[in-house]
């Protein structure tokens, strides 16, 4: 049962309380309170960060999403600044309006679920995690160590996520689930593609829920730069990623169904990207 | 801990234990029983309230987080929306209705003339176990028309 509740209004104060109490830090609480209900965690001290003022920033072709930014805040910012608008497709399938009004991308990353939709977006956009007070800046693939495991010390907090600004790309995202709202994906794919005269100029391909962490292979991506954007290429990719995926059997789907989905989603990505009009 | 907030326009000051969820505080201490607990984990939307203009699950927040905020529950929603639900017959067992009405208010406050797709998107976080969705969508359309006429 919670015995102490703190709501500091500055970052310094937050870090001090965290260091002294080892309390659980939260903003939206959309995961914390579910975990507490199931007795997965039983914190005595919780530290609410919402009184700390923060604002999303666009700097040097990077988008910096600080603590307390909700999915709703982020979507409003992207629309207002007409940047990375493709992310709307991912954000709109996270939870429900109520969850998006409280839940935060940082919370999603702190949970380190293989199905985390914003973790997928962060991998896709070469994200870095900015940590305080140590000021460590770690690439997402080094920060997420496995399901529910992150590289964060007891006295540290995730302060912000930094992702690439990418506009004028073709984008495909699909999340396989049984309902539109509140779905935790069975498997998901996100592809960002820049073409030049029918050839791949830049590409980023990520899969969710088919490995202990998000599946992305930068070697494969760099190997296919300059290749023709074709079904043959995507069949090759579908085979490679099916081999690389290491899904589990769980209540949502079997291992073999997930492997098949990796293949099929890659092929589906090709046909959708082919017909996709480049948008911002 | 002593908290102070506005509930449907009225100032409330009250002592509350730090471990208490907002839903328990509002229902048990303040007797706002229109707020329902369905799943208790943010799946069903029956406990939805508006905090500073945004819909949230009162089962996934602490009462102490209400401090300094403006809260709207079913009791603070304009009659025109409630009457639209009555007119459409969008109420069966009634358990999910307050949550749906709160989501409808949030939608219409931000988008007074929603398309059917926008209505469906806005209600995606609310479950009706009687599955009376067609009439609920009808109710939101009637409520939106009411808003238009008032303008």
């Amino acid at each position: 049962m919670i015995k102490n509740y703190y709501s500091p209004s500055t970052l310094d104060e937050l870090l001090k309380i965290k260091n002294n109490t080892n309390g659980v830090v939260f903003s939206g609480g959309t995961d914390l309170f579910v975990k507490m209900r199931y007795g997965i965690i039983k914190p005595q001290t919780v530290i609410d960060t919402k009184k700390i003022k923060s604002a999303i920033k666009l700097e040097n072709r990077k988008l910096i999403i600080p603590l307390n930014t909700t999915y709703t805040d982020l979507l409003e910012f992207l629309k207002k600044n007409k940047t990375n608008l493709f992310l709307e497709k991912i954000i709109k399938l996270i939870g429900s309006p109520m969850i998006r009004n409280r839940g935060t991308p940082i919370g999603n990353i702190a949970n380190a679920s293989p199905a985390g939709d914003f973790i997928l977006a962060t991998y896709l956009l070469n994200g870095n995690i900015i940590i305080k007070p140590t000021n460590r800046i770690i690439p997402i693939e080094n920060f997420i160590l496995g399901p529910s495991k992150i590289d964060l010390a007891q006295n540290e907090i995730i302060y912000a996520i930094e992702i690439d600004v990418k506009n004028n790309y073709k984008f495909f995202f699909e999340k396989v689930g049984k309902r539109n709202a509140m779905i935790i994906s069975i498997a998901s794919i996100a592809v960002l593609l820049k073409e030049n005269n029918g050839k791949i100029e830049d590409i980023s391909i990520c899969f969710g829920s088919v490995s202990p962490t998000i599946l992305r292979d930068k070697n494969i991506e760099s190997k296919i730069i300059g290749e023709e954007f074709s079904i043959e290429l995507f069949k090759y990719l579908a085979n490679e990623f099916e081999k690389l995926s290491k899904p589990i059997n769980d209540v949502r789907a079997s291992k073999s169904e997930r492997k098949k989905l990796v293949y099929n989603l890659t092929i589906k990505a090709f046909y959708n990207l082919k017909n996709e009009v480049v948008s911002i | 801990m002593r908290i102070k907030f506005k509930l449907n326009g009225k100032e409330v000051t009250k002592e509350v234990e730090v471990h208490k969820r907002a839903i328990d505080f509002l229902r048990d201490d303040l007797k706002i029983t229109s707020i329902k607990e369905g799943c208790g984990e943010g799946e069903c939307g029956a406990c939805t309230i508006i905090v500073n203009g945004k819909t949230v699950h009162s089962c996934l927040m602490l009462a102490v987080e209400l401090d300094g905020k403006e809260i709207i529950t079913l009791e603070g929603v304009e009659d025109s929306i409630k009457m639209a639900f009555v007119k459409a017959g969008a109420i069966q067992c009634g358990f999910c209705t307050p949550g749906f009405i709160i989501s409808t208010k949030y939608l219409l406050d931000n988008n007074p003339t929603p398309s059917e797709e926008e209505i469906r998107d806005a209600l995606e976080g609310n479950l009706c176990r009687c599955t009376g969705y067609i009439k609920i969508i009808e109710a939101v359309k009637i409520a939106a028309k009411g808003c238009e006429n008032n303008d």
Side-chain angles (χ1 to χ4, degrees), chain A residues 14-275:
Chain A
L14 163 65
L15 291 165
K16 210 178 275 170
I17 297 167
K18 174 84 176 107
N19 206 20
N20 292 341
T21 65
N22 198 23
V24 174
V25 175
F26 81 100
S27 182
T30 52
D31 283 299
L32 173 66
F33 294 118
V34 175
K35 282 184 187 155
M36 280 172 59
R37 186 179 169 84
Y38 282 94
I40 297 166
I41 45 170
K42 297 168 184 163
Q44 293 223 336
T45 301
V46 291
I47 311 167
D48 180 351
T49 62
K50 284 193 291 297
K51 286 197 181 134
I52 298 169
K53 287 207 167 64
S54 64
I56 310 173
K57 275 189 218 145
L58 262 176
E59 270 175 14
N60 306 323
R61 311 275 314 145
K62 297 272 185 193
L63 192 62
I64 298 158
I65 304 164
L67 81 179
N68 295 330
T69 305
T70 65
Y71 293 110
T72 304
D73 295 335
L74 177 60
L75 196 52
E76 278 169 14
F77 182 92
L78 299 179
K79 284 183 178 169
K80 207 174 123 206
N81 291 278
K82 294 192 171 56
T83 188
N84 288 41
L85 283 175
F86 54 87
L87 285 176
E88 182 174 4
K89 288 185 189 159
I90 297 181
I91 294 169
K92 276 187 87 174
L93 287 178
I94 295 175
S96 62
M98 297 78 120
I99 295 288
R100 296 191 289 274
N101 283 340
R102 284 264 293 180
T104 64
I106 288 190
N108 196 240
I109 283 170
N111 276 322
S113 159
D117 294 313
F118 208 84
I119 303 182
L120 182 80
T122 307
Y123 269 80
L124 189 76
L125 292 166
N126 306 309
N128 288 312
I129 308 305
I130 301 171
I131 293 165
K132 298 278 182 191
T134 39
N135 288 322
R136 288 195 298 143
I137 299 178
I138 313 173
I140 182 83
E141 62 269 29
N142 298 340
F143 181 71
I144 308 260
L145 304 173
S148 308
K149 286 199 188 86
I150 52 175
D151 174 14
L152 196 71
Q154 187 250 310
N155 63 335
E156 290 179 318
I157 61 146
I158 304 175
Y159 176 71
I161 307 165
E162 179 188 80
I163 54 176
D164 285 350
V165 166
K166 288 218 170 172
N167 294 320
N168 304 314
Y169 274 67
K170 286 185 171 186
F171 176 68
F172 177 70
F173 171 67
E174 178 134 342
K175 177 167 157 180
V176 180
K178 291 195 171 94
R179 175 184 160 199
N180 228 356
M182 299 305 302
I183 274 300
I184 299 168
S185 75
I186 289 169
S188 59
I189 185 172
V191 184
L192 261 180
L193 167 74
K194 190 170 235 174
E195 267 181 284
N196 188 355
N197 287 327
K199 298 210 157 60
I200 311 271
E201 185 181 315
D202 189 17
I203 192 164
S204 164
I205 310 167
C206 295
F207 295 87
S209 300
V210 299
S211 284
T213 63
I214 300 296
L215 173 60
R216 180 177 177 190
D217 192 308
K218 289 184 182 170
N219 286 333
I220 292 182
E221 289 172 11
S222 58
K223 242 199 289 182
I224 62 170
I225 300 294
E227 295 280 328
E228 199 178 325
F229 173 63
S230 64
I231 185 65
E232 288 72 30
L233 178 69
F234 273 67
K235 277 184 182 163
Y236 159 76
L237 291 173
N239 270 319
E240 290 297 303
F241 283 114
E242 190 183 339
K243 270 186 259 164
L244 284 170
S245 66
K246 293 188 186 72
I248 55 164
N249 288 310
D250 71 5
V251 63
R252 282 172 282 134
S254 67
K255 188 176 164 173
S256 58
E257 184 185 350
R258 285 193 162 100
K259 281 241 168 213
K260 190 80 196 156
L261 278 169
V262 170
Y263 187 92
N264 289 349
L265 284 170
T266 312
I267 300 300
K268 190 169 178 182
F270 170 77
Y271 287 107
N272 278 269
L273 288 166
K274 200 176 158 211
N275 298 319

